[in-house]
mmCIF file of all heavy atoms in Angstrom:
data_model
loop_
_atom_site.group_PDB
_atom_site.id
_atom_site.type_symbol
_atom_site.label_atom_id
_atom_site.label_comp_id
_atom_site.label_asym_id
_atom_site.label_seq_id
_atom_site.Cartn_x
_atom_site.Cartn_y
_atom_site.Cartn_z
ATOM 1 N N LEU A 57 1.405 15.531 -6.060
ATOM 2 C CA LEU A 57 1.988 16.489 -5.119
ATOM 3 C C LEU A 57 3.246 15.934 -4.449
ATOM 4 O O LEU A 57 4.168 16.673 -4.128
ATOM 5 C CB LEU A 57 0.943 16.884 -4.078
ATOM 6 C CG LEU A 57 1.147 18.185 -3.339
ATOM 7 C CD1 LEU A 57 1.243 19.369 -4.282
ATOM 8 C CD2 LEU A 57 0.035 18.403 -2.327
ATOM 9 N N ASP A 58 3.285 14.611 -4.235
ATOM 10 C CA ASP A 58 4.456 13.940 -3.652
ATOM 11 C C ASP A 58 4.851 14.566 -2.312
ATOM 12 O O ASP A 58 5.978 15.012 -2.111
ATOM 13 C CB ASP A 58 5.632 13.975 -4.641
ATOM 14 C CG ASP A 58 6.792 13.102 -4.188
ATOM 15 O OD1 ASP A 58 6.556 12.102 -3.481
ATOM 16 O OD2 ASP A 58 7.947 13.442 -4.535
ATOM 17 N N VAL A 59 3.903 14.571 -1.384
ATOM 18 C CA VAL A 59 4.115 15.140 -0.048
ATOM 19 C C VAL A 59 4.989 14.202 0.773
ATOM 20 O O VAL A 59 4.814 12.987 0.743
ATOM 21 C CB VAL A 59 2.750 15.355 0.659
ATOM 22 C CG1 VAL A 59 2.943 15.853 2.073
ATOM 23 C CG2 VAL A 59 1.903 16.317 -0.147
ATOM 24 N N ARG A 60 5.913 14.787 1.513
ATOM 25 C CA ARG A 60 6.840 14.024 2.348
ATOM 26 C C ARG A 60 6.735 14.452 3.810
ATOM 27 O O ARG A 60 6.307 15.569 4.109
ATOM 28 C CB ARG A 60 8.278 14.239 1.881
ATOM 29 C CG ARG A 60 8.528 13.913 0.423
ATOM 30 C CD ARG A 60 8.372 12.409 0.183
ATOM 31 N NE ARG A 60 8.390 12.092 -1.222
ATOM 32 C CZ ARG A 60 9.389 11.504 -1.845
ATOM 33 N NH1 ARG A 60 10.465 11.176 -1.163
ATOM 34 N NH2 ARG A 60 9.298 11.232 -3.125
ATOM 35 N N ALA A 61 7.175 13.569 4.688
ATOM 36 C CA ALA A 61 7.202 13.882 6.118
ATOM 37 C C ALA A 61 8.003 15.159 6.340
ATOM 38 O O ALA A 61 9.062 15.357 5.735
ATOM 39 C CB ALA A 61 7.813 12.727 6.894
ATOM 40 N N GLY A 62 7.478 16.034 7.185
ATOM 41 C CA GLY A 62 8.157 17.273 7.539
ATOM 42 C C GLY A 62 7.877 18.446 6.619
ATOM 43 O O GLY A 62 8.302 19.559 6.912
ATOM 44 N N HIS A 63 7.165 18.224 5.518
ATOM 45 C CA HIS A 63 6.863 19.327 4.597
ATOM 46 C C HIS A 63 5.926 20.359 5.226
ATOM 47 O O HIS A 63 5.118 20.035 6.088
ATOM 48 C CB HIS A 63 6.185 18.795 3.334
ATOM 49 C CG HIS A 63 7.138 18.373 2.265
ATOM 50 N ND1 HIS A 63 6.739 17.630 1.181
ATOM 51 C CD2 HIS A 63 8.462 18.584 2.094
ATOM 52 C CE1 HIS A 63 7.772 17.409 0.392
ATOM 53 N NE2 HIS A 63 8.835 17.972 0.929
ATOM 54 N N ARG A 64 6.036 21.591 4.722
ATOM 55 C CA ARG A 64 5.073 22.669 5.000
ATOM 56 C C ARG A 64 4.150 22.715 3.789
ATOM 57 O O ARG A 64 4.622 22.901 2.656
ATOM 58 C CB ARG A 64 5.785 24.009 5.160
ATOM 59 C CG ARG A 64 6.647 24.113 6.407
ATOM 60 C CD ARG A 64 7.384 25.452 6.437
ATOM 61 N NE ARG A 64 6.473 26.579 6.331
ATOM 62 C CZ ARG A 64 5.816 27.134 7.355
ATOM 63 N NH1 ARG A 64 5.972 26.667 8.570
ATOM 64 N NH2 ARG A 64 5.013 28.163 7.162
ATOM 65 N N VAL A 65 2.838 22.554 4.033
ATOM 66 C CA VAL A 65 1.888 22.426 2.933
ATOM 67 C C VAL A 65 0.736 23.410 3.113
ATOM 68 O O VAL A 65 0.222 23.590 4.216
ATOM 69 C CB VAL A 65 1.321 20.986 2.858
ATOM 70 C CG1 VAL A 65 0.358 20.837 1.685
ATOM 71 C CG2 VAL A 65 2.448 19.962 2.737
ATOM 72 N N LEU A 66 0.328 24.017 1.992
ATOM 73 C CA LEU A 66 -0.838 24.886 1.951
ATOM 74 C C LEU A 66 -1.942 24.173 1.188
ATOM 75 O O LEU A 66 -1.705 23.653 0.089
ATOM 76 C CB LEU A 66 -0.482 26.203 1.256
ATOM 77 C CG LEU A 66 -1.626 27.189 1.015
ATOM 78 C CD1 LEU A 66 -2.224 27.672 2.335
ATOM 79 C CD2 LEU A 66 -1.124 28.370 0.177
ATOM 80 N N ASP A 67 -3.139 24.134 1.755
ATOM 81 C CA ASP A 67 -4.306 23.509 1.145
ATOM 82 C C ASP A 67 -5.320 24.608 0.840
ATOM 83 O O ASP A 67 -5.980 25.115 1.740
ATOM 84 C CB ASP A 67 -4.883 22.464 2.107
ATOM 85 C CG ASP A 67 -6.017 21.652 1.521
ATOM 86 O OD1 ASP A 67 -6.193 21.656 0.282
ATOM 87 O OD2 ASP A 67 -6.728 20.992 2.307
ATOM 88 N N VAL A 68 -5.431 24.984 -0.434
ATOM 89 C CA VAL A 68 -6.313 26.074 -0.853
ATOM 90 C C VAL A 68 -7.655 25.490 -1.299
ATOM 91 O O VAL A 68 -7.695 24.590 -2.134
ATOM 92 C CB VAL A 68 -5.684 26.881 -2.008
ATOM 93 C CG1 VAL A 68 -6.630 27.975 -2.496
ATOM 94 C CG2 VAL A 68 -4.344 27.468 -1.581
ATOM 95 N N GLY A 69 -8.739 26.015 -0.728
ATOM 96 C CA GLY A 69 -10.062 25.453 -0.989
ATOM 97 C C GLY A 69 -10.253 24.214 -0.133
ATOM 98 O O GLY A 69 -10.716 23.171 -0.587
ATOM 99 N N ALA A 70 -9.899 24.334 1.139
ATOM 100 C CA ALA A 70 -9.845 23.195 2.062
ATOM 101 C C ALA A 70 -11.213 22.595 2.376
ATOM 102 O O ALA A 70 -11.297 21.453 2.817
ATOM 103 C CB ALA A 70 -9.148 23.606 3.352
ATOM 104 N N GLY A 71 -12.278 23.334 2.173
ATOM 105 C CA GLY A 71 -13.629 22.801 2.320
ATOM 106 C C GLY A 71 -13.879 22.096 3.631
ATOM 107 O O GLY A 71 -13.694 22.657 4.707
ATOM 108 N N SER A 72 -14.273 20.844 3.552
ATOM 109 C CA SER A 72 -14.663 20.063 4.728
ATOM 110 C C SER A 72 -13.491 19.673 5.611
ATOM 111 O O SER A 72 -13.686 19.131 6.697
ATOM 112 C CB SER A 72 -15.391 18.795 4.295
ATOM 113 O OG SER A 72 -14.480 17.893 3.673
ATOM 114 N N GLY A 73 -12.264 19.932 5.162
ATOM 115 C CA GLY A 73 -11.083 19.588 5.942
ATOM 116 C C GLY A 73 -10.491 18.230 5.626
ATOM 117 O O GLY A 73 -9.430 17.882 6.141
ATOM 118 N N TRP A 74 -11.139 17.463 4.738
ATOM 119 C CA TRP A 74 -10.641 16.110 4.447
ATOM 120 C C TRP A 74 -9.259 16.145 3.809
ATOM 121 O O TRP A 74 -8.354 15.437 4.255
ATOM 122 C CB TRP A 74 -11.641 15.364 3.560
ATOM 123 C CG TRP A 74 -11.293 13.927 3.308
ATOM 124 C CD1 TRP A 74 -10.862 13.012 4.233
ATOM 125 C CD2 TRP A 74 -11.353 13.235 2.070
ATOM 126 N NE1 TRP A 74 -10.654 11.787 3.639
ATOM 127 C CE2 TRP A 74 -10.957 11.907 2.303
ATOM 128 C CE3 TRP A 74 -11.712 13.606 0.776
ATOM 129 C CZ2 TRP A 74 -10.915 10.942 1.293
ATOM 130 C CZ3 TRP A 74 -11.678 12.646 -0.220
ATOM 131 C CH2 TRP A 74 -11.282 11.335 0.036
ATOM 132 N N THR A 75 -9.063 16.978 2.783
ATOM 133 C CA THR A 75 -7.739 17.015 2.157
ATOM 134 C C THR A 75 -6.698 17.560 3.127
ATOM 135 O O THR A 75 -5.555 17.100 3.132
ATOM 136 C CB THR A 75 -7.744 17.836 0.849
ATOM 137 O OG1 THR A 75 -8.273 19.139 1.101
ATOM 138 C CG2 THR A 75 -8.537 17.141 -0.240
ATOM 139 N N THR A 76 -7.073 18.509 3.962
ATOM 140 C CA THR A 76 -6.142 19.046 4.961
ATOM 141 C C THR A 76 -5.693 17.934 5.903
ATOM 142 O O THR A 76 -4.508 17.815 6.229
ATOM 143 C CB THR A 76 -6.796 20.200 5.746
ATOM 144 O OG1 THR A 76 -7.350 21.139 4.821
ATOM 145 C CG2 THR A 76 -5.787 20.903 6.631
#
Side-chain angles (χ1 to χ4, degrees):
L57 201 58
D58 189 28
V59 176
R60 304 293 171 107
H63 272 167
R64 292 177 55 84
V65 182
L66 175 63
D67 186 16
V68 177
S72 70
W74 185 45
T75 54
T76 309

